[in-house]
Amino acid sequence: MGLWDVDKIEYVGRTKGPQEGLAFHYYDADRVVAGKKMKDWLRFGVAWWHTFNQELVDPFGTGTAHRPYYKYSDPMDQALAKVDYAFELFTKLGVEYFCFHDRDIAPEGDTLRETNANLDKVVDKIEENMKATGVKLLWNTSSLFTNPRFVSGAATSPFADIYAYAAGQLKKSLEIGKRLGAENYVFWGGREGYENLWNTEMKRETDHIAKFFHMCADYAKEIGFDAQFLIEPKPKEPTLHQYDFDAATAIEFLRSHDLTDVFKLNLEGNHANLAGHTYQHEIRVARENGFLGSLDANQGDKLIGWDMDEFPTDLYETVAVMWEVLQAGSIGPHGGLNFDAKPRRTSFYAEDLFRSHVAGMDSYAAGLLVADKMNRDGFIQDLMAERYSSYDSGIGATIENGTATLASLEEYAIDKPQSELIAATKSDHLESVKATINNYIVDALAEA
Amino acid sequence: MGLWDVDKIEYVGRTKGPQEGLAFHYYDADRVVAGKKMKDWLRFGVAWWHTFNQELVDPFGTGTAHRPYYKYSDPMDQALAKVDYAFELFTKLGVEYFCFHDRDIAPEGDTLRETNANLDKVVDKIEENMKATGVKLLWNTSSLFTNPRFVSGAATSPFADIYAYAAGQLKKSLEIGKRLGAENYVFWGGREGYENLWNTEMKRETDHIAKFFHMCADYAKEIGFDAQFLIEPKPKEPTLHQYDFDAATAIEFLRSHDLTDVFKLNLEGNHANLAGHTYQHEIRVARENGFLGSLDANQGDKLIGWDMDEFPTDLYETVAVMWEVLQAGSIGPHGGLNFDAKPRRTSFYAEDLFRSHVAGMDSYAAGLLVADKMNRDGFIQDLMAERYSSYDSGIGATIENGTATLASLEEYAIDKPQSELIAATKSDHLESVKATINNYIVDALAEA
Amino acid sequence: MGLWDVDKIEYVGRTKGPQEGLAFHYYDADRVVAGKKMKDWLRFGVAWWHTFNQELVDPFGTGTAHRPYYKYSDPMDQALAKVDYAFELFTKLGVEYFCFHDRDIAPEGDTLRETNANLDKVVDKIEENMKATGVKLLWNTSSLFTNPRFVSGAATSPFADIYAYAAGQLKKSLEIGKRLGAENYVFWGGREGYENLWNTEMKRETDHIAKFFHMCADYAKEIGFDAQFLIEPKPKEPTLHQYDFDAATAIEFLRSHDLTDVFKLNLEGNHANLAGHTYQHEIRVARENGFLGSLDANQGDKLIGWDMDEFPTDLYETVAVMWEVLQAGSIGPHGGLNFDAKPRRTSFYAEDLFRSHVAGMDSYAAGLLVADKMNRDGFIQDLMAERYSSYDSGIGATIENGTATLASLEEYAIDKPQSELIAATKSDHLESVKATINNYIVDALAEA
Amino acid sequence: MGLWDVDKIEYVGRTKGPQEGLAFHYYDADRVVAGKKMKDWLRFGVAWWHTFNQELVDPFGTGTAHRPYYKYSDPMDQALAKVDYAFELFTKLGVEYFCFHDRDIAPEGDTLRETNANLDKVVDKIEENMKATGVKLLWNTSSLFTNPRFVSGAATSPFADIYAYAAGQLKKSLEIGKRLGAENYVFWGGREGYENLWNTEMKRETDHIAKFFHMCADYAKEIGFDAQFLIEPKPKEPTLHQYDFDAATAIEFLRSHDLTDVFKLNLEGNHANLAGHTYQHEIRVARENGFLGSLDANQGDKLIGWDMDEFPTDLYETVAVMWEVLQAGSIGPHGGLNFDAKPRRTSFYAEDLFRSHVAGMDSYAAGLLVADKMNRDGFIQDLMAERYSSYDSGIGATIENGTATLASLEEYAIDKPQSELIAATKSDHLESVKATINNYIVDALAEA
Ligand SMILES: [Co+2]
Ligand SMILES: [Co+2]
Ligand SMILES: [Co+2]
Ligand SMILES: [Co+2]
Ligand SMILES: [Co+2]
Ligand SMILES: [Co+2]
Ligand SMILES: [Co+2]
Ligand SMILES: [Co+2]
């Protein structure tokens, strides 16, 4: 069977009954939906950190994960062995992309130079495997948050030596991205924020990180690395307050620091919830403002206040996400659905890595099928068109075409009685809309 | 068409396509599922306060609701007219139960005596309509929270006159319950709690309300009113902290005040969320402790911190609720699914009252169908049986049968190596379980 | 005693003991602190809506407030009488500013024209009282959220007639602001957001409201009304999601719609909490970005998910707010501390309006005294200067002066061992910082 | 200076100014307050796990802590060395109690027998140090949550072997408690709960743990270990839902499983917040029901959804806690204030262990001083007495003495007009109450 004791995952449709966990019920990679193959809409990616490095620890417990490569005790041996395990897993799942932090794939040395040397050895092996399998790098990134030197930030550290180190680390990471043909490059500022405002010069820190991003953009240009740069917002955790709180905050930062040409956003479902938003909201904000870059597909529990990074199985959420993607035409210019997700700590067998990816892939494939059916029927489009129709002509058109003034609108409205105003205000029948979405889920998936 | 400009709602199955909002897709009242008619599993009830009195106000806006009986301006005229509207709505929806607070159905007078006189007139008319239609009273209750006299509580008011008034009000309410054959009687203590601990004698207040409940039980016995008494927990809102915080807290109160013979619980989905729980959790706690009484079927938004009382449309939640009900055999001894729910403020046409009940009824009917399919397959039962099998014999059996001691267990375990202990610990494959539930939803509803 | 049965509130310092609730312990209007009179730092304002119109209702209860002018039953009579009560309250409290919505001060007619006529009568009387007392208008605003016509928004309503009506209403409101010499003009978009994304064209709606703001700015210029325009962010409630979620989101909107010249922000403590932020955070974001406009001084309860609008008494929060104000030099160009706050529903006597303002004014005066003492000692400044000192020269200076590149920083860092990097990273002794702030509170107020 | 590069911490009162972080400003151990020495009211304890073992990791970063004993690389060597460091720290802080989990003090072996042998060696050394210094064991406990074998619980594990192992582990832990004279024994069920209800037999699991507690009580009796047993509630984290959700839930469990004679509660501030409560609420619930056992003194951030275990510095909270303790007469029969708290990850010097304990001790000492002043003045007592006075005679007395019935109360109330009822309802002047507490804080600490 290879390194993993699991067969290649096959699409079986609905023939094997509801309880089959090691086959695709909805994800049929080459099936054409809305003009593209499913795999081209979804562009699934595996996250190296969770899938290969996550031992399933939590703040009150050590790792529970069973992983076959734990037999390698030397860090470099294990790092190199994982490459083989990784590409076999990609292939068996039929996932065509992966993502990693620099620190995921090779151990640190005492200096950046030594660390970079370790990195190069693993990157060599990854490059070979990419060629051999055709699996591509959706994005890479740099861990500027794990090591204690980053305790108070990297590009927002109050300590210039740390900033300098982070810059050097980033330089290498961009070079690796270039070498491996990364389609995007992600910045998640887990420590870029504050623990306490009383000791924080917020503006100075955000100016520092803006300069950092400009240096990165300059260097990428210099070396001809044309990946799409992406910021990944998160409101808090580990930091009490992170500067990239949510999509709107990140866009504000990009606008006020002349970075809109270079950056788009990588949006994560669980981060949306921690910021008080739905995942659909964050994607809508990014999409409508031209900042949709890529997606970290996972889910949280809205009754829980920390980042759970669960594999996504909530069909309401996958339908909403894929609806937004259908409207956008794609997940950003080069985006994909990276499973920034880990099995639950109680789901710790090696086999559960496959089970959980299958659950996530199927859930997103289902979301695509449902969104496509709603789209073909024009259900949402019709509802919207009718709801906003008063702006298509008459007084509404003067508002949209810029000829209206307060005075012209006052004149229009000043003698309208309350009854006429109330009559102009329509019910949205929201409960029927929600029931209709339920019906679409059943109908689209029953016919899948 | 009658008083409401809506036809009787019919079951059409899946023939009218996903967008039909004024017909049942899943709720087929007389269809037998798991040995009982759907209507007997579900026992739907309409909540008078939301459906007939709720003007769709919120803290920042006045009412938006369009209701045909707003043409009656005299309070008693309107109260009496509503009875006709109510019973036509029940009949057109095919709902066989309703619920009300004393203050929902008739206006207050200046004294309790005058108020009671108003009540009697409306109760007369309700009684006639019940006889004529066969619609029954799931439960009644008393509003001990709206009037300013209850600002600091009723049975926990620091002011004895208010307590006395509440007792008098309750007496009348029990008499009405008896007269109308209420199957349950509900106590929701919206003001029974505290705004601030610094001025609150908590124990004294909870002792007061325990005495109040005992008086109520005594009086019910005296007049031969044998309805099941129910406490409805809610953690807060309007009060900063309500004493009946959640199911466990309410059960603790009942146990410590000798009230377990008299009371069970009426559980609401949105209240569960406000207390940090899922609806399924609250029902499970009540069910396994013998306190499941009835259900206030609604849903909240877990990102929102107040009580939204939305009509329930989340199939994950309705499946979980109906699973618990299937295991219990019924919703308590006399319980039902009362829609303690209002249309959204933007869904304000009279017709939306029908649309929203249809959405709610269909969602719960769907939940029943899915839970039943899982139950027939033994999916959860098998999973549980295997998971806990180590308690069925051997050392596990000594734990359950009470023969184990710390010493006997120490002896069993003291020389087991870590590898054996880890081998005894099994993965729960949680992601596959969740994906399987998705599959059951689609399969059960596609074949519905 | 006048209309209110309360004497003028006097400053007594600490002579009357801790339990005196109807005298100022810390607020001494003309005392000079940090170069300005207390009253000029604080510029307290009374909010007409809460203080005179709030009946202390909540979603489960009717009003509890006792107010002397409830004896006036005709709406216009009551509206006119309230003007006298208002100005006597301002004077007895020694508050020099007030704020109102158009709908606070006069009842609506059936048409905007009739409504405006009502408004004019009350504005006449307000203007007289302003002249007589010297009390000034901190800001006025327009209620585009209470009436059911605004159920789905005003400037983001899907219904063009409602937009037009809102524009007409705003025109009148700006004219009143001009006439009464309002120093600011506030826009709070309580309904400008969405209830559900599935029926919302978010971008179209936000474009509509941007046009609306431009029309308002044009008209203000046309009539020579030079008040500072302010947006007041709030994340939700009444709307599920409000577009002006928080300070950063509002600034992003202003930047992307060419409105930064015209608008600053009015920030509220309770709204900050509902968005997941501290009040200090929101003020810092606005201050450092040049958008600090004015403050709605109130507080929330962070365990509660709705807007409580409590009078502010938390000294930790008032110290933090006044610290930010001291650093800014003032609360925006024309800002003040408007008590967007109501007594608790249990604190319902007329006298409690005075008690609660006194509590709020004293708490902010105390905050100013503590912040000033910390400022004079240079406590925070020293801590910051040391913390960021590595950017003042050497490699840090190259980062700040723009000469650094990834390559130059890599060269600096590449051979630094981990030990040196850790040594460059300093502890922030955060627990001592918090204990020191406690000490400053005691010391500053003991010597007050 | 000894092992730690810090001098013994002295009480300096307010002479060293607000910025001194390494001296007590309020904690004067032998000063008599309310009839007892401060140290006897407060009974401070140091938590071994946080103070000596916590490396200041978080879910996204490795340890930042600088600790002098990290020079010992062998686990047993380090464990033994820490004992010396611990007792010097206790002595220099003047803390007379400590607390530990079995796994805090010695490394695990491969079997329980080997682990117990490791434990014994360290316990020998601890015992010697206790004798030499007079420092006592406030409580010990057992870690049934860190090791992967406990992933799905210990006494609620679905796997009987794990239950047996936990029982054996607990037996040893009780023996150690007996040997070291622990005054209490704590059970925190970090894994006793569920990750998902779909695979959980909740009642079976809670019955299992109840049996476990009975076995523990039996064994303690058998060996003559008479410590007070304590359950420590927490609602979630690491587990999605923990069975001991809050004080009320834990009391309900104790009542329904015949464990009230054996157990009281150990309450933690941060856990209270995670359950949606204030710390004062949880203590009040325990106190008034006779279950106040001991306190884990720490604080959370109410805007943060995970357990921060911050050192307590919020004076509002320490005042409220010490008020409850003053009313109770002591913190339970043998309780103390255990600092279940860690310095922030950014506060990582060895010295910060001292700074953070000083901040916490001073904050609780300040809380005691303020609560005592309010108590001596009778401020709260008077307010309560007046508020509830209507129950002291007349109709109120009939309610409290059990002679009232619904009928007798109806008769009393039935003809009372609304005006009389409203007159019987008094304002609580809540804003003045809060301002008064502010005044007490300043006055009590200024005269300290
Ligand atoms: Co992510
Ligand atoms: Co995440
Ligand atoms: Co309810
Ligand atoms: Co509710
Ligand atoms: Co405000
Ligand atoms: Co507010
Ligand atoms: Co604890
Ligand atoms: Co904790």
Side-chain angles (χ1 to χ4, degrees), chain A residues 50 188 232 234 237 268 270-271 274 296 298 307-309 340, chain D residues 60:
Chain A
H50 275 318
W188 174 61
E232 180 172 335
K234 189 178 182 185
E237 199 209 21
E268 180 178 317
N270 207 149
H271 297 180
L274 291 174
D296 265 14
N298 68 14
D307 199 15
M308 296 181 73
D309 288 347
D340 190 356
Chain D
F60 296 85

Side-chain angles (χ1 to χ4, degrees), chain C residues 211-270:
Chain C
K211 282 178 195 292
F212 187 86
F213 287 147
H214 278 290
M215 287 184 220
C216 293
D218 291 347
Y219 187 69
K221 202 171 172 188
E222 187 182 326
I223 64 173
F225 179 37
D226 61 357
Q228 173 64 53
F229 276 20
L230 302 172
I231 280 182
E232 180 172 334
K234 189 178 183 185
K236 53 190 157 193
E237 199 207 19
T239 302
L240 195 88
H241 177 92
Q242 285 169 224
Y243 292 135
D244 299 321
F245 191 83
D246 60 6
T249 306
I251 293 172
E252 192 285 319
F253 168 80
L254 295 174
R255 285 201 212 279
S256 60
H257 292 89
D258 192 23
L259 286 161
T260 54
D261 289 349
V262 185
F263 277 89
K264 295 194 185 300
L265 303 181
N266 184 44
L267 297 167
E268 180 179 317
N270 206 146

Side-chain angles (χ1 to χ4, degrees), chain B residues 60, chain C residues 50 188 232 234 237 268 270-271 274 296 298 307-309 340:
Chain B
F60 296 85
Chain C
H50 276 317
W188 174 60
E232 180 172 334
K234 189 178 183 185
E237 199 207 19
E268 180 179 317
N270 206 146
H271 297 178
L274 291 173
D296 265 14
N298 67 14
D307 199 14
M308 296 180 73
D309 287 348
D340 190 356

Side-chain angles (χ1 to χ4, degrees), chain B residues 62 67 82 96 147 155 185 187 200 233 302 342 346 367 377 402 406 435:
Chain B
T62 54
R67 299 291 178 258
K82 273 182 193 169
E96 300 190 345
N147 189 285
Y185 188 88
F187 295 81
T200 302
K302 289 172 190 162
K342 59 185 173 190
T346 54
D377 280 12
L406 290 196

Side-chain angles (χ1 to χ4, degrees), chain A residues 14 346 352 427-429 443, chain B residues 14 346 352 427-429 443:
Chain A
R14 305 175 61 245
T346 52
D352 290 311
S427 167
D428 63 6
H429 308 313
D443 289 1
Chain B
R14 304 175 62 244
T346 54
D352 290 310
S427 166
D428 63 6
H429 309 313
D443 290 1

Side-chain angles (χ1 to χ4, degrees), chain B residues 359-374:
Chain B
M361 292 165 77
D362 247 5
S363 297
Y364 265 95
L368 172 63
L369 291 168
V370 176
D372 173 59
K373 186 175 173 69
M374 297 201 314

Side-chain angles (χ1 to χ4, degrees), chain B residues 198, chain C residues 18-19, chain D residues 33 280 315-316 318-324 326-327 366-383 433-445 447:
Chain B
W198 286 111
Chain C
Q19 298 194 35
Chain D
V33 175
Q280 186 178 14
L315 295 181
Y316 291 114
T318 63
V319 169
V321 169
M322 292 314 302
W323 169 265
E324 299 296 327
L326 274 178
Q327 305 318 303
L368 172 61
L369 291 168
V370 176
D372 173 58
K373 186 174 173 67
M374 297 200 313
N375 205 39
R376 280 184 284 119
D377 279 12
F379 162 50
I380 296 298
Q381 293 90 328
D382 292 349
L383 181 158
V433 173
K434 291 178 184 175
T436 300
I437 293 171
N438 280 347
N439 293 339
Y440 272 108
I441 290 175
V442 173
D443 289 2
L445 300 183
E447 71 197 27

